[in-house]
Amino acid sequence: MTTEMQEIAITEEKPLLTGQAEAKEHSIETPHGVLHVTLHGTRTTRRPAILTFHDVGLDSKSCFSPLFKFEEMQEIVKNFTLIHVDAPGQEEGAAAYPVGYENPLRSVFTCWCSLPRPFRTVIGVGVGAGAYILSRFAIANPDSVEGLVLVNIDTNARGWIDWAAQKLSSVTSSLTEQILSHLFSQEELSSNTDLVQSHRERISKASNLINIELLWKTYNSRRDLNVDRNSTFKCPVMLVVGDQAPYEEAAVECNSKMDPTTTSFLKMADAGGLPQLTQPAKLTEAFKYFIQGMGYMASSCMTRLSRSRTTSLSSSYSMDGSRSRSRTLSQGSQGGQMPPSPSQMMEVSC
């Protein structure tokens, strides 16, 4: 998988997110289309940048704004450069793709080597399709990725049964409803929550719906990542999924194949398909622990959230003290609650 670039043109657009340092939007011309990128935060060479990639049916704003504007997240925002990437044609108001347009998932591989930057590495944060895209990026560019936070990851290619079900769904359901069933749990769809209603209206009325459809079809024809605990990722990984999310089983399966010494698994209680929107407090604290585990922000305190919730970080060991399959960060709706087990427990508060 190549990251070679030719004739890259970068156009600076309007500032974004008033009050946050040097927040700017850029349009980057690549061989695979115009890439819309938002950079803000500190410009430091001492830390990696945080690179985000959204899910199908969302853009960087609708996918990540509630998380990165959350009060407790501001400590991270002030210490890192944030790079929010929109897949070509997915930002609000984007022009329609030309006929015969190439695979939009390839754009992330061109993004890294085309951005003006003082940083050499990133911590990737991806949701759904974005998690898959950043996983491929990390596999192809292991020296460029220091860590991955993968929300609702599904590393498996679609099998024949999945393919047939998708074809049937495309006949019986609108594109909007297909994407909603990807983003939200059945419980959320049945309850028709305010979040579901707002995204249904936004997607159905999107002027770039044809672009969203192309990205959706591309994601459904993805290749298997062949996750292997010995060779897939060369960096720490935190897998995140809601306990009611549509991809909960896929995330659990992915976790079972990962290297237990470098992988953390966060299953969020009472969370549906988009935990970064519905439970930003829990995800923010887990993200801080993850960053601290990489050696950054060592002096950071888990302030308000730690006082209001009990957070348990469990490194599981077998009875003879040897390491078991994975680490689990458990955060229930009323605090971290772990079942009885031969585990070492650490209560964390500041």
Side-chain angles (χ1 to χ4, degrees):
M1 204 157 298
T2 179
T3 55
E4 265 186 48
M5 291 296 300
Q6 295 179 347
E7 299 182 1
I8 295 299
I10 300 176
T11 303
E12 182 176 313
E13 297 181 354
K14 59 185 179 181
L16 187 69
L17 299 177
T18 302
Q20 296 191 6
E22 302 180 25
K24 295 179 180 179
E25 293 185 34
H26 300 268
S27 292
I28 302 175
E29 295 283 351
T30 81
H32 310 293
V34 178
L35 201 63
H36 181 262
V37 179
T38 302
L39 289 87
H40 62 93
T42 182
R43 299 294 190 270
T44 176
T45 59
R46 294 180 294 108
R47 298 186 182 96
I50 295 174
L51 175 69
T52 73
F53 211 104
H54 58 86
D55 203 350
V56 178
L58 304 172
D59 58 16
S60 60
K61 294 178 183 178
S62 58
C63 189
F64 292 109
S65 283
L67 177 64
F68 284 96
K69 288 183 177 180
F70 185 67
E71 180 182 352
E72 300 294 338
M73 181 63 79
Q74 297 316 300
E75 184 177 10
I76 295 176
V77 172
K78 292 175 182 177
N79 283 280
F80 290 86
T81 301
L82 303 184
I83 308 172
H84 298 299
V85 179
D86 291 303
Q90 303 304 302
E91 71 275 13
E92 185 177 354
Y97 286 141
V99 176
Y101 191 76
E102 288 192 64
N103 184 343
L105 295 188
R106 296 180 62 185
S107 62
V108 72
F109 302 109
T110 70
C111 170
W112 174 245
C113 59
S114 62
L115 286 176
R117 64 192 190 275
F119 39 80
R120 297 187 300 273
T121 59
V122 298
I123 299 172
V125 181
V127 178
Y132 174 83
I133 292 167
L134 289 180
S135 295
R136 287 184 58 190
F137 178 75
I139 293 170
N141 303 272
D143 294 336
S144 295
V145 181
E146 287 197 31
L148 286 173
V149 177
L150 306 176
V151 183
N152 296 336
I153 181 70
D154 185 358
T155 60
N156 298 321
R158 287 286 183 260
W160 285 106
I161 295 178
D162 297 315
W163 178 85
Q166 179 63 37
K167 287 294 184 182
L168 179 61
S169 176
S170 65
V171 173
T172 59
S173 302
S174 67
L175 174 65
T176 298
E177 295 304 317
Q178 292 175 54
I179 293 176
L180 288 175
S181 67
H182 163 76
L183 295 175
F184 297 101
S185 66
Q186 286 302 314
E187 291 83 355
E188 290 172 300
L189 293 173
S190 298
S191 300
N192 198 27
T193 64
D194 291 342
L195 188 61
V196 170
Q197 292 181 47
S198 66
H199 282 287
R200 177 180 285 113
E201 181 176 7
R202 181 184 56 80
I203 295 172
S204 63
K205 295 182 179 179
S207 60
N208 60 338
L209 192 60
I210 187 171
N211 300 349
I212 296 174
E213 182 177 15
L214 178 57
L215 182 60
W216 175 238
K217 289 181 177 179
T218 303
Y219 177 61
N220 283 316
S221 62
R222 64 188 181 275
R223 299 199 306 267
D224 197 317
L225 280 181
N226 296 316
V227 173
D228 180 274
R229 67 177 60 192
N230 296 318
S231 60
T232 303
F233 298 113
K234 305 300 183 183
C235 63
V237 179
M238 181 170 72
L239 303 176
V240 181
V241 69
D243 63 354
Q244 301 171 13
Y247 291 96
E248 186 266 342
E249 291 185 4
V252 171
E253 180 184 354
C254 179
N255 182 50
S256 70
K257 299 176 181 178
M258 300 284 282
D259 182 351
T261 65
T262 58
T263 305
S264 298
F265 184 54
L266 172 63
K267 183 186 286 190
M268 301 178 68
D270 304 321
L274 297 175
Q276 80 279 8
L277 301 184
T278 59
Q279 298 194 20
K282 292 180 181 180
L283 188 52
T284 294
E285 184 156 2
F287 190 32
K288 283 188 178 182
Y289 282 127
F290 181 71
I291 289 175
Q292 286 179 329
M294 296 172 61
Y296 301 107
M297 297 178 60
S299 61
S300 174
C301 286
M302 305 299 110
T303 54
R304 183 183 65 182
L305 185 59
S306 289
R307 290 194 296 267
S308 62
R309 291 181 175 89
T310 301
T311 304
S312 299
L313 181 62
S314 171
S315 295
S316 298
Y317 290 81
S318 62
M319 292 300 290
D320 63 359
S322 60
R323 182 66 183 267
S324 72
R325 203 204 50 74
S326 71
R327 293 183 296 159
T328 301
L329 178 64
S330 175
Q331 292 178 304
S333 59
Q334 299 301 321
Q337 296 181 359
M338 297 291 292
S341 66
S343 303
Q344 293 185 352
M345 304 297 294
M346 179 175 65
E347 300 296 331
V348 183
S349 62
C350 287

